[in-house]
Amino acid sequence: MSRIQPSAEVPAHEELRVPVHGGELAVLRWPAADPGAPVVLALHGITANGLSWGRVAHHLAGRVTLLAPDLRGRGRSGELPGPYGLAAHADDMAAVVKELAPGPVVLTGHSMGAFTAAVTAVRHPQLPSALLLVDGGVTFPVPTGLEPDELITAVLGPAMSRLSMTFEDRDAYRAFWRKHPGFADAWSPWVDAYIQRDLVGEEPELRSSCAIEAVRVDGIDQLGGEVAQAVHRLPLTALLLWAERGLMNEPQGLYDDQRLAAAKLDPDKVRTRYVPGTNHYTLLVGDAGARLVADQLLAAAGIAAP
């Protein structure tokens, strides 16, 4: 494990590097006030990075240690080579826990990170002590008749199209995201730090750190096959928090009662909780959503929320 300088954008966390296949994985750590406190391992979405968990970390307030990696092909782990796919991410997470956590961790993930968390729990059943899925982990209906790249773009929208764009400066990237319907009413210093972490390169040609091939492989992976089955094979009971609205703040979210019923989840393996007033993103980065996620993580860690 090696250390690099902490980010100046959001204080009170450090950045570590953990050896994995092909190089080193960047891992953000918000340490607990008590070194013996439980550890939470939090996995981000398909084109996100570890700072997407910054507002949750704020509400955890040092009562647990939070580890939030930049997954392979994103953020400061953007240069890590393939193979990609959620099984590769799951094995990376096992390496992170081996290096940074003394025992089982509370495992959580948002969006694709929730699918990755489920796969991690199946591949490494000794790793999680509890599992929280945040608007992901359960396969949802997708458009039919599209090529894989078209399908991913249809599901992700602007989050995918920006990967081939360049931006003249950081303000331009900020302006791009502030127009996104999913973020428009939830902008904050935490969101700003998270989106700015994504940028690499030099002005006037800044670009996203996300490796397009990583996003492509992972996006196809999470839409079916063994990844889709992971939530039905969990070694422990999970809680799924699902947002009222979708990625573009549209009324139809990724999940609803009918879609969850069609998924035929085992109620002894997956409990579900509807979170009104949130969309796919604000369930994680909005203040109310982040507070709820933090409270659920504290409860899973055996720590009472205030």
Side-chain angles (χ1 to χ4, degrees):
M1 177 186 71
S2 59
R3 298 174 185 265
I4 67 174
Q5 289 297 315
S7 166
E9 296 161 333
V10 175
H13 72 277
E14 57 186 343
E15 188 169 324
L16 310 174
R17 290 198 175 273
V18 172
V20 293
H21 174 74
E24 292 183 321
L25 197 77
V27 181
L28 300 179
R29 177 166 66 181
W30 287 263
D34 176 2
V39 176
V40 173
L41 177 62
L43 313 184
H44 63 70
I46 191 166
T47 65
N49 59 69
L51 267 187
S52 62
W53 292 89
R55 200 158 198 174
V56 172
H58 167 74
H59 287 300
L60 290 172
R63 287 167 286 178
V64 296
T65 290
L66 177 65
L67 302 175
D70 288 345
L71 296 179
R72 182 180 294 265
R74 286 87 169 169
R76 306 275 169 83
S77 305
E79 299 300 320
L80 272 175
Y84 304 112
L86 273 59
H89 295 311
D91 293 347
D92 286 345
M93 296 309 101
V96 169
V97 172
K98 182 178 180 181
E99 184 80 16
L100 300 179
V105 299
V106 176
L107 181 61
T108 186
H110 171 247
S111 193
M112 186 200 80
F115 287 91
T116 305
V119 173
T120 300
V122 171
R123 288 178 67 86
H124 303 280
Q126 77 287 352
L127 186 152
S129 61
L131 178 59
L132 177 68
L133 308 175
V134 183
D135 218 37
V138 178
T139 302
F140 46 85
V142 297
T144 58
L146 299 178
E147 293 297 320
D149 290 341
E150 295 173 324
L151 179 58
I152 297 169
T153 299
V155 172
L156 296 179
M160 184 66 181
S161 62
R162 84 175 195 280
L163 302 187
S164 58
M165 299 170 62
T166 59
F167 300 85
E168 63 180 15
D169 55 29
R170 291 185 175 275
D171 284 340
Y173 198 52
R174 182 178 293 112
F176 172 86
W177 275 111
R178 294 200 72 161
K179 294 176 184 177
H180 192 295
F183 290 88
D185 296 328
W187 201 261
S188 70
W190 292 277
V191 171
D192 193 69
Y194 148 53
I195 65 101
Q196 293 294 334
R197 182 176 176 82
D198 182 45
L199 286 176
V200 295
E202 301 291 337
E203 297 181 1
E205 294 188 351
L206 296 170
R207 59 178 176 80
S208 170
S209 64
C210 296
I212 293 177
E213 183 63 12
V215 172
R216 180 180 183 276
V217 171
D218 293 348
I220 295 169
D221 200 17
Q222 73 176 3
L223 296 177
E226 292 186 11
V227 171
Q229 289 302 310
V231 75
H232 301 287
R233 300 170 53 209
L234 296 174
L236 74 176
T237 300
L239 171 64
L240 166 65
L241 302 177
W242 56 280
E244 175 183 0
R245 303 175 72 85
L247 280 74
M248 301 295 288
N249 202 38
E250 69 272 28
Q252 175 63 62
L254 293 183
Y255 304 111
D256 55 31
D257 289 329
Q258 291 73 30
R259 290 179 176 184
L260 291 172
K264 294 182 170 57
L265 299 173
D266 181 346
D268 292 328
K269 289 294 185 182
V270 183
R271 298 180 292 115
T272 65
R273 178 174 173 179
Y274 168 60
V275 188
T278 61
N279 67 41
H280 179 70
Y281 294 108
T282 61
L283 182 51
L284 184 69
V285 304
D287 187 65
R291 185 185 298 274
L292 173 63
V293 170
D295 286 351
Q296 293 297 328
L297 292 173
L298 291 171
I303 298 173

